[in-house]
Amino acid sequence: MSKKILTIQDISCYGSCSTTVALSILPSFGIETVILPSAILSTHTSGFKNFTVLDLTLEMPKIVNHWISENIKFDAIYTGYIGDVRQFDLILKIKNELLKENGIFFCDPAMADYGKLYPALNNDIVNGMKKIAKESDFLIPNLTEASFLTDTPYKDNFTDDEIEKIANKLLDMGAKKIIISGVKNEKKLGARYYDKKESFEYFQGKREKSYHGTGDIFSSVVLAYILNGYDMKTTLKKSTEFVVKSIDNTIGDETHNYAPKFEEILTNWQK
C-alpha cells in the first residue's frame, strides 16, 4: 500500500524550492503527497528583490479542522519553511491528531544558511523550530540551522568533534534521528547521520557553486527513501548523490542560477 504524507511549508511560485520540490520528488517515488501551504511567495527569498508574501496562518486551522472531521490520517508529516510563529502550535496539533500511530514526524528546520537567518525571520522563529524539532523522529538541519537550534555560535570551520557535540545536543533535545547537511571541508561536501546508537557520514567532492533549494531537494529525497524502506546508510548515500548530480546539471547554465535543475536527474534516477 502506498504511503500518504502531508508536507507543511511555503509555496514559492518561482524558484524550485519548498512545496514545489516536494510535489515533484515524493510522488515520483510512489508517495501520495498532500500539502498544507504556510504562505505563498512570488519567488523564494534568495537573490530576488521585492518578493511578495501571502501569509496563510489564519486559513490553515480551517483546513486542518476539516481534515480532522473527515478522519484523514497521514503516514508522515514533513515540515519545512515556516514564516509565522503562530503556526508552530498548529503543527504540533497536526502531529497529535493527524499522524498515524507509528507515523514519521520529519522536520526540516528551513530557516537559515551561511550563518544567517533567511530574510524576515527572527529568534521567535528559531524558538518555534525548537518546539517542533524536539518532537521529531527525523530532524534534517543544515549546519547553520543546527547551530541556531543548539545556541551554538556559527563558524565556517567546525571540527568533527564540534559537529558531533551539536548533534548530541539535538538528540538530547528529543529528536530521535539527526541528519546534518552542508558538512564540508576544503575538498568534500556531504552529510552526517546521528542517533543514540551510531553515526556515519557520506561525502562527495565539493562543487564550485551552491544553489538555493538544495536543502529542500535533499530532505525530500531522504524522506522518499525512508518511506520506501531503505536503510539509513543507503538513504544518505543516494540522497547526497542526487543533490550533487542536480548541482552538476546546473553549473554553467547562467539562465538557471536561482535553483538546481533537478527535474532531469529525477526522470532517470534509480529509485
Side-chain angles (χ1 to χ4, degrees), residues 130-139 167-178 196:
K130 290 177 181 179
K131 288 175 65 174
I132 63 172
K134 69 181 183 180
E135 300 286 336
S136 63
D137 297 299
F138 289 86
L139 179 63
N168 285 329
K169 287 181 181 179
L170 294 171
L171 291 169
D172 289 342
M173 283 173 57
K176 296 181 179 65
K177 299 178 181 181
I178 313 291
K196 288 289 189 181

Side-chain angles (χ1 to χ4, degrees), residues 220-240:
S220 293
V221 177
V222 166
L223 180 56
Y225 278 115
I226 290 170
L227 290 174
N228 277 288
Y230 284 78
D231 65 88
M232 288 310 303
K233 288 186 177 180
T234 303
T235 293
L236 193 64
K237 178 179 183 294
K238 286 182 169 289
S239 301
T240 302

Side-chain angles (χ1 to χ4, degrees), residues 40 78 105 131 162 180 221-222 245:
I40 299 175
Y78 164 21
F105 186 49
K131 288 175 65 174
E162 287 171 334
I180 299 179
V221 177
V222 166
K245 287 183 180 295

Side-chain angles (χ1 to χ4, degrees), residues 123-265:
N123 284 334
D124 290 338
I125 294 295
V126 176
N127 290 331
M129 284 293 186
K130 290 177 181 179
K131 288 175 65 174
I132 63 172
K134 69 181 183 180
E135 300 286 336
S136 63
D137 297 299
F138 289 86
L139 179 63
I140 321 290
N142 62 34
L143 198 46
T144 296
E145 291 155 354
S147 299
F148 274 108
L149 290 172
T150 57
D151 301 314
T152 302
Y154 178 80
K155 58 183 182 178
D156 289 328
N157 56 343
F158 283 111
T159 65
D160 291 349
D161 286 345
E162 287 171 334
I163 295 172
E164 184 173 358
K165 287 179 181 178
I166 290 172
N168 285 329
K169 287 181 181 179
L170 294 171
L171 291 169
D172 289 342
M173 283 173 57
K176 296 181 179 65
K177 299 178 181 181
I178 313 291
I179 298 176
I180 299 179
S181 64
V183 179
K184 61 186 177 181
N185 59 27
E186 291 181 357
K187 296 182 179 180
K188 297 189 296 182
L189 177 67
R192 290 201 174 118
Y193 170 86
Y194 300 87
D195 61 27
K196 288 289 189 181
K197 296 180 180 179
E198 63 175 344
S199 65
F200 48 84
E201 63 186 25
Y202 186 77
F203 284 86
Q204 290 266 284
K206 190 175 179 181
R207 275 19 185 198
E208 63 189 57
K209 289 194 72 174
S210 60
Y211 296 91
H212 186 91
T214 53
D216 300 330
I217 294 169
F218 181 72
S219 292
S220 293
V221 177
V222 166
L223 180 56
Y225 278 115
I226 290 170
L227 290 174
N228 277 288
Y230 284 78
D231 65 88
M232 288 310 303
K233 288 186 177 180
T234 303
T235 293
L236 193 64
K237 178 179 183 294
K238 286 182 169 289
S239 301
T240 302
E241 289 175 348
F242 185 94
V243 170
V244 169
K245 287 183 180 295
S246 299
I247 292 172
D248 288 344
N249 190 49
T250 315
I251 290 175
D253 185 349
E254 295 303 321
T255 68
H256 204 286
N257 59 5
Y258 51 85
K261 296 195 295 185
F262 71 91
E263 295 86 353
E264 297 167 7
I265 306 302

